[in-house]
């Protein structure tokens, strides 16, 4: 159904009032009225100020309540202390949305915080949606809407820009106009007391005018909603993002400006990659990417070829590609043979393709055609250095001619200034990205092509728990944590930490604790020499730093001495430490073992994060660490491992055999399960995890836990909701058992085939049109769902060993977080058999368990069968006051 988005009054208003409108020069009120008039607003425009009867020819009223119609949007330009009362008046007048431009709220001490609190309370009481405060405003060029104080407005285009910085919006708009880059929307969020990134992203996903989305982020308030909206957007449109505060000083400044939390930058980066988003690092990259997207620059992969008439620039491009982990395409033998026929004998014979300094337009053109045809090449950077025999403008014309028919991205670097100026202008006119130096050219290719790599990460929807034959004992792990917390301990000792690992089937080095030298000798003999000994103390995190570790003890006398030495040295260095005894475990000797680190911690913004890298004693110095957001599956685990430097040491090298990679992947998958199922875990380190050709073993482990309050959703602590495999069920029908399970991205073909077979009437009743095929964007939206905000259950049967979809029921949570909209459709052959009722039963029960208060539906008034069906389920029907062709139904879920 093509229902209006709930933020439509804010972003597509038909009536706007500027409150505080003025004719005083340089006043905010005058700038807003002027901008709206110059933009050619297509709706009704009103001014509000008791001092005027009109402002710049626009009718002016004493109060918003005097305007003779309800407003979609009011823009407040007055001082902060008047804003709460104005918002209240807007509510009484029936205004649907408000933009608050001025600062002076939470950024201005206790009084400002109180003003902000009152403003938000008034808005919520009247169900007004609020953008700001302390923002630039909002622009919708196609509608002639410039409800901002940006100077000059924006060109109509397809880029949606969302920014926490109004100043940055102004700078981008100022750059965009002369560069002919256009926008579908420009939204300045300010301090986001109500409308935030997540909701604006959701609107832009549904907006057909927006083809790509740019974000400038200083901090995030609701990580789950932010990641969820990013993932929804990136499924159907390229999303590019600049995030400041990558270092502590910047993070502090961002917090002061936006009031939102920043979190650790590496975690933010992992969240973006998992969400399928392209991350940029400066405005130069943003402008280059804007130009490329505006020119419909669409890479197919990240294997780059470079054509150059100078060896040095080619090497510079290859070096930057290596920095960014962009692989240089390996030319096929056939390509090299063809190039040998047309190039001088001293050409480079490899990629970068150096076609020598005397290259003319003809040589450039033939080389370009041959390289573009190579199946290993997924993008071509062409470099030109102006030399005495070079004809830069003619070469540019040749490249443009070839690019018109190319099915791979082409971009250029015409180095220099005077001789290449005309060529650059030709490229810009033709929509081909062009640069003055090689590095930003390669960066652009890397950033845009990262979109395609990250899309593979985006569609991964791992379950929280694997379905193997040896499932973890979640209950026993919880008992260990509950026992520690009941004793008011947050640091688990080594035996407890390893008990948690063992509960999740991670191989451990068995550990026992001795409380005397004699007991140490007895236990060492039972375990078998040699042994390792470590201090057992809840007060000490890094045991070796306090002298609390002895390794490779081969005799009982050495064990007795080590016991005394450990106690004496630790008491000397940490006299305050609580000491339980000395832990003893077999000395793990693996001649070909690699010492690795696997861990987890709770990020203040994004929740649980999994870490992996090189382990051992010098972990802080080596700083080889990659991070990923759970839940993980094999694909995501492999991506995490490949992101570290130590990955190159895990295969065969020197005299060492490759490690058992499956055992390492198994451990990482089990750690993912632990942080999904045990929200109490605050921090976890397995260091070292020793992995060799035979397997993996956790030698040392440290886990810290916290008390947490129970929530309606068992995965509330996570930024990305796992695939809810616990909701898979079977229902018995007279025809046999039918599998009912949540939808997955891999179900795209199932869903396409299901809709294809529906009758025109059923399609119309479900989608309000009779489309023959689901468009790709809709397929993505229907199958790649966020289980936190929506749910879709498929009814599946098997025919000749192949899964066939026979029905689907889904709900989507409304912005209020308390109600949801539902839809259901059943294949013709399965109608009138009770399947719809059974599917709705599963859907309603899931919504109820999630704590939702009501379920809503919108039905065609002439769909008698559906109306009777929902009434039999308990829905109460109401007529739509504005449209007599539809009816609304509400089912109360709680109480």
């Amino acid at each position: 159904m093509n229902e209006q988005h709930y933020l439509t009054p804010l972003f597509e208003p038909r009536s706007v009032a500027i409150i505080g409108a003025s004719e005083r020069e340089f006043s905010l009120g005058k700038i807003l009225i002027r901008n709206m008039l110059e933009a050619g607003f297509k709706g009704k425009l009103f001014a509000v100020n008791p001092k005027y009867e009109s402002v710049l020819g626009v009718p002016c009223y004493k109060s918003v309540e005097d305007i003779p119609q309800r407003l979609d949007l009011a823009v407040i330009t007055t001082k902060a202390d008047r804003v709460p009362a104005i918002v209240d008046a807007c509510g009484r007048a029936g205004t649907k949305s408000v933009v608050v431009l001025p600062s002076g709220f939470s950024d201005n001490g206790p009084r400002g915080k109180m003003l902000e609190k009152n403003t938000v309370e008034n808005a919520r009481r009247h169900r007004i949606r609020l953008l700001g405060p302390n923002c630039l405003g909002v622009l919708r060029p196609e509608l002639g809407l410039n409800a901002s104080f940006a100077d000059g407005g924006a060109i109509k285009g397809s880029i949606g820009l969302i920014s926490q910085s109004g100043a940055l919006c102004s700078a981008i708009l100022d750059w965009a106009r002369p560069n002919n880059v256009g926008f579908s929307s420009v939204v300045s969020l300010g301090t986001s007391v109500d409308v935030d990134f997540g909701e604006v992203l959701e609107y832009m996903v549904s907006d057909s005018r927006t083809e790509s989305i740019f974000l400038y982020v200083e901090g995030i308030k609701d990580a789950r909603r932010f990641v969820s909206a990013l993932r929804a957007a990136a499924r159907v449109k390229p999303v590019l993002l600049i995030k400041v505060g990558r270092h502590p000083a910047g993070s502090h400044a961002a917090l002061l400006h936006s009031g939102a939390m920043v979190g650790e930058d590496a975690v933010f980066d992992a969240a973006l990659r998992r969400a399928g988003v392209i991350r940029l690092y400066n405005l130069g990259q943003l402008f280059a990417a804007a130009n490329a997207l505006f020119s419909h620059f669409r890479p197919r992969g990240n294997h780059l070829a470079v054509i150059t008439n100078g060896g040095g620039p080619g090497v510079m491009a290859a070096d930057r590609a290596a920095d960014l982990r962009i692989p240089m395409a390996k030319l096929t033998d056939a390509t090299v043979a063809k190039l040998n026929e047309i190039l001088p004998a001293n050409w480079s014979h490899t990629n970068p393709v150096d076609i020598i300094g005397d290259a003319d337009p003809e040589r450039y053109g033939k080389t370009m055609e041959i390289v573009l045809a190579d199946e290993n090449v997924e993008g071509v950077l062409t470099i030109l250095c102006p030399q005495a025999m070079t004809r830069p403008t003619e070469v540019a014309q040749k490249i443009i001619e070839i690019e018109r028919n190319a099915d791979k991205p082409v971009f250029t670097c015409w180095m220099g200034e005077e001789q290449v100026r005309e060529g650059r202008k030709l490229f810009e006119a033709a929509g081909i990205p062009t640069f003055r130096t090689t590095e930003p050219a390669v960066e652009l290719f890397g950033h845009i092509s990262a979109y395609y790599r990250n899309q593979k990460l985006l569609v991964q929807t791992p379950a929280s728990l694997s379905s193997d034959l040896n499932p973890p004992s979640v209950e026993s792990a919880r008992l260990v944590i509950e026992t520690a917390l009941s004793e008011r301990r947050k640091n688990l000792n080594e035996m407890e930490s390893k008990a948690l690992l063992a509960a999740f089937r991670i191989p451990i080095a068995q550990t026992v604790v001795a409380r005397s030298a004699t007991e140490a000798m007895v236990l060492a003999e039972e375990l078998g020499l040699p042994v390792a000994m470590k201090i057992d103390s809840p007060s000490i995190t890094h045991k070796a730093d306090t002298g609390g570790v002895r390794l490779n003890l081969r005799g009982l006398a050495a064990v007795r001495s080590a016991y005394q030495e450990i106690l004496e040295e630790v008491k000397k260095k940490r006299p305050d430490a609580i000491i339980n005894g000395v832990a003893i475990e077999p000395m793990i000797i693996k001649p070909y073992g690699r010492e690795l680190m696997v861990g987890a911690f709770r990020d203040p913004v994004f929740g649980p994060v999994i870490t992996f890298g090189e382990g051992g004693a010098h972990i802080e110095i080596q700083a080889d660490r990659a991070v990923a957001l759970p839940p993980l599956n094999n694909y995501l685990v492999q991506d995490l491992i490949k992101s570290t430097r130590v990955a190159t040491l895990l295969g065969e090298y020197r005299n060492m055999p490759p490690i058992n990679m499956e055992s390492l992947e198994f451990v990482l998958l089990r750690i993912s399960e632990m942080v999904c199922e045990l929200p109490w875990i605050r921090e976890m380190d397995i260091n070292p995890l020793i992995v060799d050709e035979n397997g993996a073993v956790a030698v040392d482990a440290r886990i810290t836990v916290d008390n947490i309050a129970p929530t309606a959703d068992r995965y509330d602590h996570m930024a990305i909701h796992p695939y809810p495999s616990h909701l898979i069920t079977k229902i018995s029908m007279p025809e046999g058992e039918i599998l009912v399970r949540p939808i997955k991205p891999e179900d795209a073909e199932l869903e396409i085939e299901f809709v294809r077979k529906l009758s025109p009437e059923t399609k119309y009743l479900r989608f309000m049109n009779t489309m023959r095929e689901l468009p790709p964007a809709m397929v993505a939206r229907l199958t790649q769902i966020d289980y936190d905000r929506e749910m879709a259950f498929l009814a599946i049967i098997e025919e000749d060993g192949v899964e066939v979809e026979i029905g689907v029921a889904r709900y989507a949570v409304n912005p209020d977080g308390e109600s949801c909209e539902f839809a259901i459709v059943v294949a013709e052959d399965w109608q009138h058999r009770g399947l719809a009722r059974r599917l709705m039963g599963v859907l309603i029960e899931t919504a109820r368990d999630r704590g939702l208060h009501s379920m809503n539906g919108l039905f065609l008034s002439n769909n008698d069968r559906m109306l009777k069906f929902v009434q039999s389920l308990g829905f109460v029907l109401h007529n739509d006051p504005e449209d007599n062709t539809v009816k609304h139904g509400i089912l109360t879920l709680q109480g």
Side-chain angles (χ1 to χ4, degrees):
M1 294 181 188
N2 294 319
E3 298 174 55
Q4 275 198 339
H5 192 277
Y6 62 91
L7 290 181
T8 296
L10 174 59
F11 295 123
E12 300 178 41
R14 290 170 292 187
S15 53
V16 177
I18 308 301
I19 300 176
S22 171
E23 292 195 347
R24 184 166 48 85
E25 203 59 40
F26 304 117
S27 68
L28 199 55
K30 181 171 184 177
I31 291 168
L32 261 291
I33 289 284
R34 187 194 68 208
N35 280 354
M36 290 290 287
L37 292 172
E38 289 180 356
F41 179 54
K42 296 175 183 176
K44 292 184 178 178
L45 180 63
F46 304 94
V48 176
N49 191 329
K51 297 178 183 175
Y52 299 94
E53 290 189 3
S54 70
V55 175
L56 300 181
V58 175
C60 192
Y61 296 84
K62 287 184 169 53
S63 163
V64 68
E65 294 177 85
D66 296 331
I67 296 173
Q69 71 170 77
R70 289 190 173 190
L71 295 167
D72 283 337
L73 174 63
V75 184
I76 300 176
T77 69
T78 64
K79 289 184 178 178
D81 56 3
R82 297 184 56 199
V83 170
I86 291 172
V87 170
D88 192 37
C90 285
R92 291 194 301 271
T95 305
K96 295 174 182 175
S97 55
V98 170
V99 176
V100 181
L101 301 181
S103 58
F105 293 88
S106 58
D107 56 330
N108 195 33
R111 175 169 163 70
K113 285 180 181 174
M114 182 56 68
L115 287 173
E116 185 175 292
K117 180 173 176 285
N118 293 341
T119 299
V120 172
E121 284 176 354
N122 289 346
R124 285 182 180 157
R125 186 170 66 255
H126 294 293
R127 302 177 72 86
I128 290 173
R129 299 315 307 270
L130 206 66
L131 183 68
N134 191 15
C135 71
L136 182 76
V138 59
L139 298 91
R140 293 278 287 171
E142 188 165 310
L143 306 179
L145 177 70
N146 184 359
S148 79
F149 55 93
D151 188 22
I155 299 170
K156 182 172 70 174
S158 60
I159 294 173
L161 172 65
I162 312 172
S163 173
Q164 279 177 315
S165 167
L168 190 95
C169 278
S170 297
I172 291 174
L173 291 172
D174 191 53
W175 163 83
R177 284 188 299 273
N179 285 281
N180 201 34
V181 171
F183 297 88
S184 59
S185 307
V186 178
V187 182
S188 166
L189 294 174
T191 48
S192 309
V193 294
D194 178 27
V195 175
D196 201 0
F197 273 117
E199 292 182 281
V200 183
L201 273 166
E202 288 163 9
Y203 172 79
M204 288 191 180
V205 170
S206 67
D207 178 34
S208 60
R209 300 179 184 94
T210 301
E211 293 180 10
S212 53
I213 301 171
F214 282 19
L215 298 96
Y216 171 85
V217 179
E218 294 178 346
I220 299 303
K221 292 182 176 176
D222 184 342
R224 172 70 74 84
R225 181 150 206 167
F226 177 70
V227 173
S228 166
L230 277 181
R231 286 164 64 83
R235 285 172 188 133
V236 292
K237 301 174 184 183
V239 179
L240 301 93
L241 182 150
I242 290 180
K243 182 249 181 187
V244 294
R246 290 187 291 122
H247 305 291
S251 297
H252 181 64
L255 178 62
L256 291 176
H257 184 202
S258 66
M261 294 186 73
V262 181
E264 187 174 330
D265 191 68
V267 178
F268 196 99
D269 203 52
L272 296 186
R273 290 174 63 238
R274 186 72 182 277
V277 172
I278 307 161
R279 182 172 184 178
L280 309 173
Y281 291 89
N282 56 56
L283 284 180
Q285 293 173 353
L286 179 75
F287 296 155
N291 259 330
L293 285 173
F294 203 63
S295 307
H296 301 284
F297 181 78
R298 296 286 188 272
R300 308 191 315 184
N302 67 344
H303 288 79
L304 176 65
V306 175
I307 299 171
T308 178
N309 67 341
V315 172
M316 290 166 68
D319 281 348
R320 189 63 187 132
D323 292 342
L324 300 172
R325 297 187 180 184
I326 297 169
M328 296 296 286
K330 181 171 172 48
L331 302 178
T332 64
D333 292 342
T335 296
V336 173
K338 288 176 185 173
L339 291 173
N340 281 334
E341 292 175 11
I342 65 147
L343 294 178
N346 58 336
W347 79 279
S348 60
H349 293 84
T350 188
N351 179 24
V353 181
D354 182 358
I355 61 175
I356 312 306
D358 62 351
D360 60 9
E362 195 67 22
R363 191 186 297 171
Y364 261 102
K366 285 180 179 177
T367 304
M368 182 78 137
E369 287 171 339
I370 293 168
V371 171
L372 275 170
D374 190 308
E375 62 188 19
N376 293 341
V377 172
E378 292 166 321
V380 179
L381 167 61
T382 305
I383 303 171
L384 181 142
C385 302
Q387 300 181 43
M389 62 291 287
T390 314
R391 299 181 339 243
T393 304
E394 292 175 50
V395 174
Q397 290 167 337
K398 194 71 177 174
I399 298 300
I400 291 166
E401 183 185 315
I402 294 168
E403 191 273 344
R404 286 195 191 105
N405 300 312
D407 62 348
K408 299 173 184 178
V410 172
F411 54 118
T412 64
C413 174
W414 260 218
M415 301 181 80
E417 194 57 48
E418 281 189 26
Q419 296 180 55
V420 298
R421 187 178 292 121
E422 190 60 34
R424 281 202 202 114
K425 286 181 181 176
L426 291 174
F427 287 132
E428 287 166 3
I432 297 174
T434 188
F435 298 86
R436 286 175 160 76
T437 57
T438 59
E439 288 83 359
V442 175
E443 287 168 8
L444 170 71
F445 181 74
H447 289 136
I448 306 290
S449 61
Y451 173 69
Y452 292 84
R453 176 177 177 270
N454 290 356
Q455 288 296 297
K456 292 179 182 176
L457 303 181
L458 168 62
V459 298
Q460 307 299 315
T461 52
S464 59
L465 288 170
S466 56
S467 55
D468 60 24
L469 299 175
N470 190 18
S473 175
V474 178
E475 193 55 41
S476 64
R478 285 177 182 159
L479 285 172
V480 172
I481 293 171
E482 286 169 8
T483 301
L485 291 173
S486 69
E487 297 171 2
R488 299 189 175 180
R489 290 188 293 114
K490 294 189 174 182
N491 294 327
L492 304 187
N493 62 38
E494 186 168 345
M495 285 196 296
E496 289 169 327
S497 297
K498 286 184 174 177
L500 257 61
L501 300 184
F504 280 79
R505 313 307 181 212
I506 294 171
I508 59 169
Q510 184 187 356
T511 302
V512 290
V513 174
R515 289 171 176 80
S516 70
T518 302
E519 191 178 4
M521 289 190 291
V522 171
L523 292 172
E525 193 160 37
E526 286 179 2
L527 289 171
L529 296 166
V531 295
M533 298 175 66
K534 309 171 207 172
I535 194 70
D536 181 29
S537 167
S539 314
I540 297 171
T541 301
H542 299 291
K543 304 177 183 76
D545 294 350
T546 60
V549 178
R550 297 292 186 277
L551 303 176
N552 205 21
L553 301 166
R554 296 183 171 274
L556 295 181
V559 169
R560 183 179 56 197
S561 301
Y563 184 91
Q564 297 297 345
E565 288 168 9
I566 287 172
L567 290 184
E568 288 169 11
E569 198 162 339
V570 169
K571 285 176 181 175
K572 190 188 301 179
K573 291 185 176 177
R574 287 289 304 274
D576 59 322
I578 298 166
I579 297 173
N580 296 328
V582 175
I584 304 174
E585 62 190 46
M587 184 69 200
I588 304 296
I589 300 173
K590 288 179 174 279
Y592 301 126
R594 278 71 145 186
E595 289 194 352
L596 304 174
M597 181 283 301
V598 174
F601 66 93
R602 191 186 304 156
D603 183 77
V605 178
F606 292 100
V609 178
I610 294 170
T611 65
F612 170 74
E614 189 171 358
H618 305 295
I619 182 171
E620 284 88 357
I621 300 167
Q622 292 151 349
D624 178 29
R625 185 186 72 155
V627 301
L629 265 59
L632 302 180
N633 60 12
N634 284 96
Y635 182 90
L636 295 167
V637 161
Q638 289 160 13
D639 182 74
L640 175 64
I641 294 169
K642 279 186 256 180
S643 302
T644 60
R645 292 193 300 273
V646 77
T648 58
L649 305 179
L650 304 181
E652 185 175 358
Y653 79 100
R654 294 182 183 169
N655 65 334
M656 301 182 77
I659 68 160
N660 183 326
M661 189 61 77
E662 283 185 10
S663 65
L664 174 57
E665 291 175 10
F666 175 85
V667 171
L668 284 163
L669 287 170
R670 291 306 198 186
I671 295 298
S672 172
E673 293 176 353
M674 285 181 74
V675 296
C676 288
E677 299 299 325
L678 305 175
W680 303 272
I681 293 177
R682 188 178 73 199
E683 198 171 336
M684 169 168 50
D685 280 321
I686 303 174
N687 182 30
L689 175 79
I690 299 181
V691 189
D692 67 2
E693 70 277 19
N694 298 313
V697 60
V699 175
D700 202 351
R702 179 180 63 87
I703 296 176
T704 306
V705 294
D706 261 340
N707 273 304
I708 59 156
T711 58
D713 185 345
R714 64 200 280 182
Y715 302 117
D716 263 354
H717 61 297
M718 303 178 68
I720 298 174
H721 199 292
Y723 178 76
S725 51
H726 61 286
L727 295 178
I728 297 172
T729 186
K730 288 184 177 177
I731 57 175
S732 296
M733 302 276 290
E735 298 81 0
E737 276 196 332
I738 293 173
L739 178 69
V740 175
R741 62 166 174 78
I743 202 166
K744 298 183 284 191
E746 297 91 321
D747 294 324
E749 286 302 321
L750 269 182
E751 188 78 350
I752 290 168
E753 190 62 23
F754 173 69
V755 173
R756 184 182 290 143
K757 290 179 178 177
L758 295 176
S759 69
E761 182 191 9
T762 301
K763 285 179 186 173
Y764 181 75
L765 293 174
R766 167 62 183 92
F767 300 104
M768 288 194 176
N769 67 50
T770 55
M771 58 189 168
R772 294 180 64 186
E773 295 276 339
L774 284 175
M778 186 176 282
V779 174
R781 188 162 61 80
L782 292 176
T783 58
Q784 299 176 31
I785 69 170
D786 185 313
Y787 304 105
D788 180 46
R789 298 184 302 140
E790 49 192 326
M791 185 57 67
F793 286 103
L794 300 185
I796 302 284
I797 59 171
E798 274 200 15
E799 290 182 355
D800 301 324
V802 177
E803 281 193 336
V804 176
E805 179 182 341
I806 58 172
V808 58
R810 60 177 71 235
Y811 71 69
V813 179
N814 289 320
D816 59 15
E818 296 183 346
S819 63
C820 64
E821 303 284 336
F822 91 95
I824 183 169
V825 62
V826 172
E828 262 77 14
D829 293 348
W830 284 84
Q831 293 177 9
H832 312 295
R833 297 195 195 184
L835 177 60
R837 182 172 296 276
R838 299 294 297 276
L839 265 179
M840 281 299 296
V842 173
L843 191 74
I844 289 167
E845 208 50 48
T846 303
R848 188 174 282 129
D849 290 345
R850 289 282 172 90
L852 296 174
H853 293 174
S854 63
M855 181 175 281
N856 310 324
L858 190 65
F859 318 105
L860 291 171
S861 298
N862 60 359
N863 191 353
D864 293 331
R865 200 171 74 207
M866 186 64 167
L867 296 176
K868 287 177 183 174
F869 172 65
V870 296
Q871 280 182 303
S872 73
L873 292 172
F875 280 79
V876 178
L877 297 177
H878 304 278
N879 292 321
D880 188 306
E882 297 178 6
D883 186 352
N884 61 11
T885 67
V886 297
K887 287 182 179 286
H888 293 270
I890 300 176
L891 174 68
T892 301
L893 297 173
Q894 308 290 342

